[in-house]
Structures are given as C-alpha cells and as structure tokens.
Amino acid sequence: MEVKIAPSILSADFSCLGKAIGSMDEWGADMVHIDVMDGHFVPPITIGPIVVEALRPLTDKPFDVHLMVDNPMDHVDDFIAAGADSVTVHAEVLSDLPGAIRHIREKGVRASVSVNPETPLSAVEPVIRDVDMVLLMSVHPGYGGQAFIEPVLDKIQKLRRMMDELGLTTDIEVDGGIYPENVQSVIDAGATVIVAGSAVFGSDDPGKAIRLLRGH
C-alpha cells in the first residue's frame, strides 16, 4: 500500500499559512493535516472552521481535519461545510462512537477515529469495520515537536494484524514525533499515512523532507 504524507500545519508559520498551503502541491504532499484544539481536551487552542474555509481554495489536496476537542459532534458539520475531506474524532470523548462515525460518513466525507498513546485498541473495535482510517497518536496530543513514543510501534503492528484478520485495507495514520530517521520503523509496523509537522516545516527543504519520509 502506497504511503501517504500529511504535513501538519500546526508546525507551520501561521503568519504565512496560506503560502504553506499553496506549496503543498510543489512539495509533493498527499493531504493537509489540520489539528483542531479546543483548550479542553488538550491545553492549546488552534483554529476553527473559518480558517479552514479561508485556506480551502488554495490547494486541491484533501483536508484531513483532526478534532482534538471535548465535544466533536458540536463542530463536525461546520468543518465539513468549511471544506474538510476527512474528519477524525477521538474515541476517548464519545459515548456513541458508532453514531458519530455514521454521521460523518453520511455527510459524504471520510470518517476516522483516533486514540491517544495510552488508550487501548479496544476503544476503536466497535467501529473498526466502519471507518476509513484509524489515527494512532504517537505523542501526547497538544504540542508539536515531541519525541515518538516507542511502544506505539507495537500498537501499530497489533492494529495492522487486526485489520488483516478482518480483511480490511483501512488506512492507519500515525501522528507525532516522526522524522526521516525513524519513519521506516513506523511504515514497517503497518502505517499507511504519516503525519509530519516539525519534520516538514522545520526543514530548509520541505519537498525533500517529504520525499525522505516517503522513503525516496
């Protein structure tokens, strides 16, 4: 399965966000990862639908919106209307995870579920057949530039085995602490979508960084 690279704009220069989005085609990115934080589920506050809507005309790349918020279903429709192509919700905050995934898919976009490093995979099992992607956090959510949590490699492998046993080709996205130096171990474990913030936006040559993350 071809590995896809999703640069996280959390690590971009926010004073030049439009320029960064407009460069995604040139750099060879596959999608744009947009971290939405509410100051509750995670301490920081980032961006809302109005920013996504403003950025949407600047690239044809899919917008991969990751809702790190306490009440995701209060915001899902607004982000879809603003231009999200994929919406990720956290299993930790939803009492009706299957209903949330069903709602997102009924809106015509890709639905994804995420879990934090300490959250067991049993949390995603109720929707494993229904999601388009599972996002495994490999750092504690909220801040860029953290070190990769090594035990998550075992979690990726376990999830890939679960999917293989069910005959699923669902994407496994991994987010946090991934650089060219460690990306191969993440891919070998079974990841198909790599989120990279600091590795891309902290590089003097983002296009080269993306090629290295892809293994080229």
Side-chain angles (χ1 to χ4, degrees):
M1 192 178 293
E2 178 70 22
V3 174
K4 296 179 278 291
I5 308 300
S8 169
I9 63 171
L10 180 64
S11 298
D13 179 349
F14 270 46
S15 70
C16 304
L17 204 50
K19 181 180 178 182
I21 295 290
S23 298
M24 292 289 180
D25 290 334
E26 175 191 339
W27 294 346
D30 296 290
M31 58 183 75
V32 180
H33 190 79
I34 301 174
D35 288 306
V36 176
M37 306 181 189
D38 65 352
H40 295 281
F41 182 67
V42 291
I45 297 173
T46 54
I47 65 176
I50 192 170
V51 177
V52 173
E53 184 177 15
L55 296 174
R56 182 65 278 182
L58 303 180
T59 181
D60 292 331
K61 299 295 182 187
F63 276 8
D64 176 30
V65 174
H66 179 193
L67 297 181
M68 287 180 272
V69 302
D70 270 346
N71 301 297
M73 301 316 293
D74 291 345
H75 307 287
V76 162
D77 289 1
D78 289 339
F79 278 100
I80 293 173
D85 298 284
S86 174
V87 176
T88 300
V89 293
H90 269 262
E92 293 91 351
V93 297
L94 285 163
S95 58
D96 182 12
L97 181 58
I101 296 301
R102 187 165 56 249
H103 177 85
I104 294 168
R105 296 196 75 174
E106 286 173 352
K107 288 289 181 176
V109 301
R110 282 164 53 89
S112 170
V113 60
S114 181
V115 287
N116 290 339
E118 297 82 6
T119 303
L121 289 177
S122 57
V124 306
E125 286 184 32
V127 295
I128 192 74
R129 294 180 182 272
D130 305 313
V131 293
D132 299 286
M133 185 165 68
V134 177
L135 167 55
L136 299 181
M137 293 300 300
S138 47
V139 296
H140 296 108
Y143 299 96
Q146 298 181 63
F148 185 89
I149 297 173
E150 292 296 327
V152 174
L153 287 173
D154 292 335
K155 197 174 186 180
I156 301 168
Q157 292 173 339
K158 183 178 179 182
L159 178 59
R160 177 52 64 199
R161 286 195 299 270
M162 285 171 55
M163 289 182 176
D164 287 347
E165 289 168 4
L166 293 169
L168 301 173
T169 57
T170 309
D171 275 321
I172 297 177
E173 184 174 41
V174 182
D175 180 0
I178 302 177
Y179 293 86
E181 296 77 18
N182 66 351
V183 68
Q184 195 58 52
S185 62
V186 179
I187 294 170
D188 290 345
T192 57
V193 181
I194 302 296
V195 177
S198 302
V200 173
F201 291 104
S203 171
D204 292 333
D205 187 342
K208 181 179 180 181
I210 288 173
R211 290 192 297 275
L212 290 172
L213 288 165
R214 209 187 297 280
H216 298 167

